[in-house]
Structures are given as C-alpha cells and as structure tokens.
C-alpha cells in the first residue's frame, strides 16, 4: 500500500453517480457539441462509404473516412474529458461551451499523454501475447493428436485475450493518473503518476468498472431498442434513422466517458492526499 490513502471503491463510485446527477446540466452542455457533430460526421461518412464500390472479397477496408472519424473521435473526447476534469476538480471555474471546445496547449498536452499512456499499456501486455502465440499452436497440435479438435487452442486464445484485457486495464488505470494533472496544468511526470497509484491498482480498476456500469447498461438498452425498431419497421437504410441511432448511441457513450473521467478525477483527488502537504506537488 502507499501507506496513506486507500481508495474506497464503492464510496467513490457513489460519488461519481452523485456528481453526474448534480452536474448534469453542465455535462449535457459541454457534451452537446461533440455528440451532435460526431453524429453528423458518422452519417456523412456512411454516405460517402456507401457510394464507394464494394470489395470483391471480404476484407478489412480502412480508408480516409475511417481515419477522419477516428481523429475526430479522439479530438472531441479530449475536449470533453478536459472540461469534465476541470468541472469536477475546479468547480468554482465557469465552464462554457466555448472553453470546452476551444483547442489550446492544455488539450494538446492531455491528448499526447493519453496516447502515450495507451501505447505503454498496450506494450505491457506484449509478454502475454507472445506466450499465447507460442502456446496456442502447441496446444492445438496436442489436441489434434488426442482427437479433441481445436478446443485447446481456442481456450488458450480466450485466456490470452482475457489476460491482455486485464493487464492493459490495470496498467492504463495507473498511468491515467497522469491525465488530471494535465487538465489542471499541474506538474506531474509519468513516474510520479505511476507511483501515485501504488497499492491501489485493483481498486482503481474496480472504481472504473463500477462507475461505467450504469452507462454501459444504458448503451446496451439504447442499441437494443433502436435495433428492434430498425428491424421491425425496416428503417435500416434510412439516413434519419441512422442519425437518431448514432445520436442516441453517442449520447450514451459520452455518459460512460463522463463517468470514467469523473471517477479518475476523484481518484486523483483522493490519492493526492498521500502527498506531504508541506511539500509542493511538483514531481519532476
């Protein structure tokens, strides 16, 4: 343990729910532009892709529209995340739509940190991928010799996938503590951010899972309801239906994003209490 702060998983999750409700008007306001513009962009890109010739064989096609949508998703995420961090940790600061969507050095720093943390988290799972890649063919060969088909290989792949997801989630949770500092313009380097979460690795994951669970349920319900309506009334090819579906899906997605960002903010706030108040929080 870090000897000073132990995150209370359920208490922080409850605080996340409370904050989402109490700050719902502000969060809706700063999420409105990303949700609306992303929904419009999805419809436009879908129209562009529909006009392109289809491949003769099934294959993964990644073109300029996909890249544009991916970049836009990241940019809008960063805008919203920074605004959420500041709304949670600097509640006395007035957050407007303009300050939320205006790009500045703070958002650039946040995006670079977010990308680097994601890359490092992915690299951390490399040993599991290598082991799975070595073990899976061997397991498949032994299973075939024993007349068991490819079940053993499938089991190794499943366990490897689960291991990768757990490792990436745990590492990313620790590295993500680097992000609120960027949103607040506080000096905190990556090793210090990692150290800040010492002893709370699994608790951080627990907080994120509990915090995003209601939003994930909303996403499932929205997608299920819209899919049912689309199939029942034959709306699959309607651009109006696609726009409404995308709008509702993005809104639910941003509810999940808001929950995880607020959870990260509260965890960062709690873990900073472990820093000696007599020392400046300048970790370089």
């Amino acid at each position: 343990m870090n000897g000073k702060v132990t995150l209370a998983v359920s208490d922080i999750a409850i605080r996340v729910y409370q904050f989402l409700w109490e700050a719902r008007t502000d969060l809706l306001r700063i999420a409105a532009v990303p949700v609306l513009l992303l929904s419009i962009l999805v419809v436009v890109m879908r129209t562009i892709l529909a006009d392109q010739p289809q491949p003769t064989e099934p294959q993964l096609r990644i073109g300029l529209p996909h890249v544009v949508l991916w970049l836009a998703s990241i940019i809008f995420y960063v805008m919203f995340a920074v605004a959420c961090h500041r709304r949670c940790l600097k509640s006395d600061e007035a957050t407007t739509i303009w300050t939320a969507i205006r790009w500045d050095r703070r958002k650039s720093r946040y995006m670079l940190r977010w990308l680097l943390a994601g890359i490092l988290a992915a690299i951390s799972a490399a040993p599991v991928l290598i082991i799975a890649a070595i073990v899976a063919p061997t397991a498949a060969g032994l299973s075939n010799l024993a007349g068991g088909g490819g079940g053993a290989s499938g089991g190794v792949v499943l366990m490897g996938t689960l291991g990768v997801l757990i490792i990436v989630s745990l590492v990313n949770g620790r590295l993500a503590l680097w992000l609120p500092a960027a949103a607040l313009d506080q000096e905190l380097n990556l090793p210090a951010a990692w150290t800040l979460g010492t002893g709370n690795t699994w608790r951080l994951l627990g907080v994120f899972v509990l915090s995003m669970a209601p939003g994930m349920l909303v996403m499932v319900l929205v997608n299920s309801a819209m899919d049912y309506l689309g199939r029942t009334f034959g709306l699959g090819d309607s651009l109006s239906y696609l726009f409404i579906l995308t709008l509702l899906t993005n809104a639910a997605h941003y509810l999940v994003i808001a929950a995880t960002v607020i959870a990260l903010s509260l965890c960062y706030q709690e873990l900073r209490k472990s820093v000696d108040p007599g020392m400046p929080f300048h970790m370089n």
Side-chain angles (χ1 to χ4, degrees), residues 68-152:
V68 170
L69 188 58
W70 178 71
L71 290 176
S73 299
I74 292 177
I75 290 172
F76 285 131
Y77 163 78
V78 171
M79 291 176 178
F80 181 71
V82 171
C84 280
H85 281 303
R86 297 186 70 84
R87 175 61 181 84
C88 180
L89 298 175
K90 295 178 71 70
S91 57
D92 56 333
E93 180 180 81
T95 302
T96 66
I97 296 177
W98 171 243
T99 58
I101 66 174
R102 183 186 61 196
W103 196 265
D104 51 28
R105 184 176 299 178
R106 178 187 299 141
K107 293 182 177 67
S108 296
R109 181 168 58 248
Y110 189 98
M111 183 173 70
L112 290 174
R113 290 188 179 188
W114 178 76
L115 290 172
L116 181 58
I119 292 171
L120 292 176
I123 292 175
S124 69
V128 175
L129 288 174
I130 294 173
I131 293 173
I134 294 173
V135 173
T138 303
L142 293 175
S143 180
N144 289 330
L145 288 175

Side-chain angles (χ1 to χ4, degrees), residues 35-281:
V35 169
L36 180 60
L37 291 184
L38 272 178
S39 301
I40 294 174
L41 187 59
V42 167
V43 174
V44 171
M45 293 304 173
R46 180 70 63 86
T47 303
I48 293 174
L49 291 174
D51 293 337
Q52 294 181 356
Q54 297 298 316
T56 55
E57 298 180 0
Q59 59 184 12
L60 179 63
R61 295 185 63 192
I62 300 179
L64 181 59
H66 298 92
V67 175
V68 170
L69 188 58
W70 178 71
L71 290 176
S73 299
I74 292 177
I75 290 172
F76 285 131
Y77 163 78
V78 171
M79 291 176 178
F80 181 71
V82 171
C84 280
H85 281 303
R86 297 186 70 84
R87 175 61 181 84
C88 180
L89 298 175
K90 295 178 71 70
S91 57
D92 56 333
E93 180 180 81
T95 302
T96 66
I97 296 177
W98 171 243
T99 58
I101 66 174
R102 183 186 61 196
W103 196 265
D104 51 28
R105 184 176 299 178
R106 178 187 299 141
K107 293 182 177 67
S108 296
R109 181 168 58 248
Y110 189 98
M111 183 173 70
L112 290 174
R113 290 188 179 188
W114 178 76
L115 290 172
L116 181 58
I119 292 171
L120 292 176
I123 292 175
S124 69
V128 175
L129 288 174
I130 294 173
I131 293 173
I134 294 173
V135 173
T138 303
L142 293 175
S143 180
N144 289 330
L145 288 175
S153 176
V156 172
V157 171
L158 178 61
M159 293 300 295
T161 302
L162 183 61
V164 167
L165 289 176
I166 292 175
I167 292 173
V168 169
S169 298
L170 292 173
V171 174
N172 192 63
R174 290 281 295 274
L175 295 176
L177 293 170
W178 199 26
L179 302 179
L184 298 177
D185 302 321
Q186 294 177 341
E187 293 293 336
L188 181 69
N189 59 31
L190 186 56
W194 177 267
T195 302
L196 194 62
T198 300
N200 283 288
T201 303
W202 285 97
R203 291 178 180 273
L204 283 165
L205 179 59
V207 169
F208 295 141
V209 170
L210 283 182
S211 299
M212 71 171 63
M216 294 297 293
L217 178 60
V218 171
M219 285 186 64
V220 172
L221 293 176
V222 166
N223 285 326
S224 298
M226 292 302 295
D227 181 64
Y228 173 78
L229 291 174
R231 287 186 289 102
T232 301
F233 297 101
L235 301 173
D237 296 328
S238 169
L239 289 181
S240 298
Y241 167 77
L242 175 62
F243 175 72
I244 295 174
L245 169 63
T246 307
L247 188 68
L248 293 176
T249 302
N250 282 334
H253 184 213
Y254 267 74
L255 173 60
V256 175
I257 293 175
T260 55
V261 171
I262 299 307
L264 179 59
S265 295
L266 295 178
C267 289
Y268 175 77
Q269 186 180 57
E270 288 296 311
L271 292 171
R272 276 202 56 185
K273 294 177 181 179
S274 64
V275 180
D276 185 353
M279 297 177 62
F281 195 64

